[in-house]
């Protein structure tokens, strides 16, 4: 059974940094696109960053220049390095992964940025 487990969330002051990790286990297929989403209180979930298996990336305009998505294919893990955090970055961050033809989601990790 495929599972995605996020870690690295927490409370940080504005201007600080956090690094999120999302590890995929139980996969028999190759892992293709991996994404990070976030959902702020009272708002819709939004796509934060995407990374393809080959390493190409895309970012939401709101995080460009501050966040970096990366992956380690040998470890089936995707990372999100978040720098210069702002209070508006607060939310639940969730990763997903396309494993073969299927899409799987993690449970999410809370990120809170205090002003």
């Amino acid at each position: 059974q495929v599972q995605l487990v996020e870690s690295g969330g927490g409370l940080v002051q504005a201007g600080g940094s956090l690094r999120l990790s999302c590890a995929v286990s139980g996969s028999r297929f190759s892992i293709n696109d991996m994404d990070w989403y976030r959902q702020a209180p009272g708002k819709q979930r939004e796509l934060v960053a995407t990374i393809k298996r080959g390493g190409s990336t895309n970012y939401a305009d709101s995080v460009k220049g501050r966040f970096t998505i990366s992956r380690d294919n040998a470890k089936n893990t995707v990372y999100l390095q978040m720098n210069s955090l702002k209070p508006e970055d607060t939310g639940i961050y969730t990763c997903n992964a396309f494993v073969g033809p299927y899409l799987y989601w993690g449970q999410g990790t809370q990120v809170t940025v205090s002003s």
Side-chain angles (χ1 to χ4, degrees):
Q1 183 176 356
V2 175
Q3 289 188 317
L4 278 66
V5 179
E6 298 103 335
S7 61
L11 173 64
V12 64
Q13 288 189 330
S17 298
L18 283 173
R19 188 191 194 209
L20 306 182
S21 299
C22 172
V24 182
S25 62
S27 169
R28 296 189 295 116
F29 299 102
S30 63
I31 301 170
N32 300 310
D33 291 9
M34 303 181 81
D35 308 314
W36 283 100
Y37 281 78
R38 70 183 178 190
Q39 186 165 20
K43 295 188 177 181
Q44 287 189 330
R45 185 170 60 190
E46 65 170 336
L47 176 61
V48 175
T50 296
I51 186 166
K52 295 188 179 296
R53 183 170 180 81
S56 61
T57 59
N58 276 296
Y59 297 92
D61 287 342
S62 59
V63 306
K64 282 180 181 176
R66 300 188 298 122
F67 290 12
T68 303
I69 189 171
S70 61
R71 64 190 289 168
D72 184 333
N73 290 333
K75 295 181 178 180
N76 289 341
T77 299
V78 62
Y79 306 96
L80 187 68
Q81 177 67 43
M82 305 185 294
N83 298 328
S84 302
L85 282 161
K86 305 175 181 180
E88 52 263 43
D89 294 318
T90 294
I92 298 174
Y93 285 69
T94 308
C95 65
N96 71 21
F98 285 87
V99 182
Y102 307 108
L103 177 63
Y104 294 91
W105 290 85
Q107 293 297 310
T109 185
Q110 177 70 44
V111 170
T112 302
V113 184
S114 63
S115 57

